[in-house]
Amino acid sequence: MEKVRQLDPHFWEDKKVLVTGHTGFKGSWLCLWLSYWGAEVTGYALRPPTQPSLFQLAGVGSMITSIHGDIRDGNKLKDALLDTDPDIIIHMAAQPLVRESYVSPLKTYETNVLGTVHLFEAVRQAVKLGKRVRAVINVTTDKCYENKEWAWGYRENDRLGGYDPYSNSKACSELVTASYRNSFFSARDYPSHGIALATARAGNVIGGGDWATDRLVPDCIRALLKSEKIKVRNPGAIRPWQHVLEPLSGYLMLAQKLYEHGPEYAKGWNFGPDDSDAKPVGWIVEQICNKWGRGASFELDRSIQPHEAHYLKLDSSRARMELGWRPRWTVEEALERVIEWARAYQENRDLTAVCLDQLEVYLRS
């Protein structure tokens, strides 16, 4: 199938890849995928942010070289990067939660903005020393745009903004990336530095092994595993839901293009689901309850909540036209995989095998 050919597993064989934030939900899935394809993966991150965690349950640490460090520690990060000498860097380390950013705005900006600066400074040092790194992707978020609550998807050239500290910090990270690309890694000077630097923005990712707090699907799964009612905060809020493997496939395709073609692909990229998969929170919860069965139910959480966007979706035309990237699973299929994974966890099955089975099914889709 054409889709399978667009993702090239042979490219990744023996490639040295540095993944920051590898102990998180998305980072763990990415490391599983890269290891499955034969890449030599090094991760740099704090210890897993949740208990339980996909990183531990799926045995990700046994597949890669894992360095525990804070992205805010510039010297340690630089040493890790220089020692690893990667071909490709995928930067995912972040404070990733909107509600946590209201509690800890300083930490959020230090991590998401200055952490990005520390990484780029380490890349600059690698260039000076003649290291091999050629492609760098900074993973941000769909929330980096100035959200006008309009009905069409945001494109990569729309204005950045971000209402809450998390969203705004990611917009700042986008601006930092653009500044470093223009100042130090420009297309004009590409022959001398050899770095192609891009950003990637994705929607609300879901999938097995996400245990984050204050995130809809993990909150639903936790309640169901405890036979409790699901509490729903903003049932009318509409989000672009997608399985975690969807944006990861985009990052892998983009990384290969950056590595092989350089500045042509060094820009911002959206990886969002089809418009039909932008669904209200209430619809998602109903689907989860229906798929779980066995008396699953939910109720409205009427406590006062901090501001969150009501409507948000992405236009991924650039990725479709220039990368050939397409979503493979509908939101209904993604939710089926979430429930399948949660049942496997409940039954104490081999979760590494479950993840790899789902990856194989995805690649055949």
Side-chain angles (χ1 to χ4, degrees):
M1 293 177 63
E2 180 64 19
K3 288 182 180 178
V4 175
R5 287 200 297 271
Q6 289 169 352
L7 280 165
D8 182 4
H10 300 296
F11 168 82
W12 293 97
E13 291 176 2
D14 300 320
K15 282 290 187 302
K16 298 183 72 174
V17 185
L18 175 64
V19 178
T20 72
H22 69 292
T23 57
F25 165 60
K26 286 178 72 176
S28 293
W29 270 103
L30 179 60
C31 289
L32 279 166
W33 193 335
L34 288 168
S35 298
Y36 178 69
W37 273 358
E40 184 180 333
V41 183
T42 299
Y44 181 94
L46 297 173
R47 296 188 183 278
T50 62
Q51 290 293 336
S53 71
L54 178 63
F55 181 79
Q56 293 172 330
L57 291 170
V60 178
S62 66
M63 306 175 191
I64 68 171
T65 299
S66 186
I67 301 172
H68 293 299
D70 196 318
I71 199 71
R72 296 173 295 175
D73 186 340
N75 288 328
K76 185 169 184 178
L77 176 61
K78 179 184 68 177
D79 290 344
L81 191 154
L82 296 178
D83 290 344
T84 301
D85 193 16
D87 299 290
I88 294 167
I89 300 170
I90 302 179
H91 175 45
M92 304 177 73
Q95 191 297 96
L97 300 174
V98 170
R99 285 161 67 88
E100 176 63 22
S101 76
Y102 282 106
V103 176
S104 303
L106 178 59
K107 179 182 177 182
T108 300
Y109 281 101
E110 287 178 338
T111 302
N112 296 352
V113 184
L114 289 178
T116 302
V117 173
H118 287 315
L119 176 68
F120 294 160
E121 283 297 295
V123 173
R124 289 183 66 204
Q125 185 65 24
V127 171
K128 291 177 183 178
L129 295 174
K131 297 292 187 177
R132 64 202 292 169
V133 60
R134 290 173 59 179
V136 183
I137 298 176
N138 178 20
V139 176
T140 63
T141 177
D142 60 343
K143 297 177 181 66
C144 68
Y145 294 104
E146 181 180 352
N147 190 0
K148 299 181 182 295
E149 304 279 356
W150 55 32
W152 52 88
Y154 291 91
R155 295 170 296 179
E156 289 86 350
N157 60 347
D158 282 322
R159 184 170 179 171
L160 300 173
Y163 182 100
D164 56 87
Y166 165 72
S167 304
N168 184 261
S169 72
K170 285 296 193 174
C172 291
S173 181
E174 287 275 353
L175 293 173
V176 165
T177 306
S179 177
Y180 268 79
R181 183 167 50 232
N182 293 333
S183 301
F184 307 112
F185 308 127
S186 69
R188 179 188 66 250
D189 298 326
Y190 180 73
S192 62
H193 60 70
I195 300 295
L197 173 58
T199 59
R201 308 152 187 178
N204 280 38
V205 298
I206 60 178
D210 189 359
W211 301 99
T213 56
D214 293 326
R215 190 172 282 164
L216 177 64
V217 173
D219 287 347
C220 290
I221 297 302
R222 266 190 297 271
L224 293 172
L225 290 171
K226 295 177 182 178
S227 299
E228 297 176 352
K229 274 192 174 183
I230 298 169
K231 293 187 180 295
V232 182
R233 293 197 304 266
N234 299 299
I238 298 172
R239 298 287 185 271
W241 308 96
Q242 59 189 154
H243 194 274
V244 64
L245 295 177
E246 302 285 14
L248 294 186
S249 71
Y251 305 163
L252 295 178
M253 294 174 71
L254 174 58
Q256 182 174 348
K257 292 291 188 181
L258 291 168
Y259 185 89
E260 294 177 338
H261 301 285
E264 181 182 350
Y265 294 89
K267 50 193 171 184
W269 298 85
N270 288 341
F271 297 102
D274 292 330
D275 286 352
S276 60
D277 288 329
K279 299 289 189 183
V281 165
W283 185 92
I284 294 292
V285 175
E286 288 180 354
Q287 289 292 311
I288 289 174
C289 288
N290 290 339
K291 293 178 186 302
W292 187 267
R294 302 183 187 176
S297 62
F298 62 92
E299 62 185 4
L300 186 63
D301 182 353
R302 300 186 181 278
S303 61
I304 297 175
Q305 306 293 334
H307 175 273
E308 292 188 54
H310 175 76
Y311 193 85
L312 179 64
K313 66 178 180 178
L314 296 174
D315 182 329
S316 302
S317 299
R318 172 180 286 176
R320 290 169 180 266
M321 290 188 294
E322 297 184 33
L323 296 177
W325 176 85
R326 296 286 189 281
R328 297 175 181 229
W329 285 346
T330 65
V331 65
E332 289 92 343
E333 290 172 305
L335 290 171
E336 288 282 359
R337 301 303 169 191
V338 171
I339 298 302
E340 177 184 74
W341 197 99
R343 289 294 190 196
Y345 170 79
Q346 189 179 44
E347 296 164 4
N348 295 313
R349 290 166 52 197
D350 181 343
L351 295 174
T352 305
V354 172
C355 289
L356 293 177
D357 285 347
Q358 291 193 348
L359 176 57
E360 289 176 356
V361 171
Y362 176 80
L363 292 171
R364 293 195 299 268
S365 299

